[in-house]
């Protein structure tokens, strides 16, 4: 048995036990990396959604993404959010339309 033990020790085949502080450090690093990965995956998903829209030749309408425009005409208020929604409001009524910009 001693010969086998010496042989295994000679080739460093015995695992050194983990120190608790080292395990905690590795866990913390893993958690931070997981959070970063989640943020990156979320950003990729967000950008992939944006790429589904047709922003016209040379992306000329990209600057409209995420913006809204509002105009009051007589008793109506018109609000247009390109690639998202449009609405027409009159006093207390509201008519909304989704997915504005897809032709």
């Amino acid at each position: 048995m001693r010969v086998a033990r010496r042989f295994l020790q000679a080739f460093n085949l015995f695992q050194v036990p983990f120190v608790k502080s080292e395990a905690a450090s590795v866990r913390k690093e893993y958690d931070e990396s997981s959070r970063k990965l989640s943020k990156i995956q979320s950003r990729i998903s967000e950008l992939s959604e944006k790429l589904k829209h047709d922003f016209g030749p040379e992306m000329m309408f990209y600057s409209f993404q995420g913006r809204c425009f509002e105009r009051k005409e007589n008793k109506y208020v018109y609000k247009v959010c390109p690639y998202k929604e449009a609405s027409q409001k009159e006093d207390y009524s509201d008519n909304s339309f989704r997915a504005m910009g897809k032709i």
Side-chain angles (χ1 to χ4, degrees), residues 28-42:
K28 182 179 177 184
E29 186 178 336
Y30 171 80
D31 290 342
E32 287 174 9
S33 296
S34 292
R35 277 192 294 279
K36 286 179 184 177
L37 176 61
S38 181
K39 274 180 99 171
I40 290 169
Q41 288 173 329
S42 177

Side-chain angles (χ1 to χ4, degrees), residues 77-95:
V77 175
Y78 299 95
K79 183 176 181 180
V80 177
C81 303
Y83 307 101
K84 190 175 179 187
E85 66 183 344
S87 65
Q88 171 188 320
K89 295 179 184 180
E90 175 188 14
D91 296 325
Y92 296 103
S93 68
D94 183 4
N95 298 312

Side-chain angles (χ1 to χ4, degrees), residues 7-89:
F7 175 80
L8 293 172
Q9 284 175 334
F11 289 98
N12 199 21
L13 297 176
F14 278 115
Q15 289 186 348
V16 178
F18 254 114
V19 178
K20 282 188 178 185
S21 63
E22 186 178 348
S25 173
V26 170
R27 169 56 70 186
K28 182 179 177 184
E29 186 178 336
Y30 171 80
D31 290 342
E32 287 174 9
S33 296
S34 292
R35 277 192 294 279
K36 286 179 184 177
L37 176 61
S38 181
K39 274 180 99 171
I40 290 169
Q41 288 173 329
S42 177
R43 182 71 174 139
I44 288 171
S45 177
E46 177 185 313
L47 292 173
S48 295
E49 266 309 301
K50 282 186 178 182
L51 288 175
K52 290 180 182 178
H53 297 292
D54 179 8
F55 294 110
E58 298 181 16
M59 304 284 282
M60 67 188 312
F61 299 114
Y62 180 78
S63 63
F64 291 161
Q65 175 71 27
R67 297 183 66 195
C68 293
F69 305 92
E70 198 171 284
R71 178 167 177 102
K72 183 167 176 36
E73 286 290 323
N74 300 322
K75 61 182 179 177
Y76 296 104
V77 175
Y78 299 95
K79 183 176 181 180
V80 177
C81 303
Y83 307 101
K84 190 175 179 187
E85 66 183 344
S87 65
Q88 171 188 320
K89 295 179 184 180

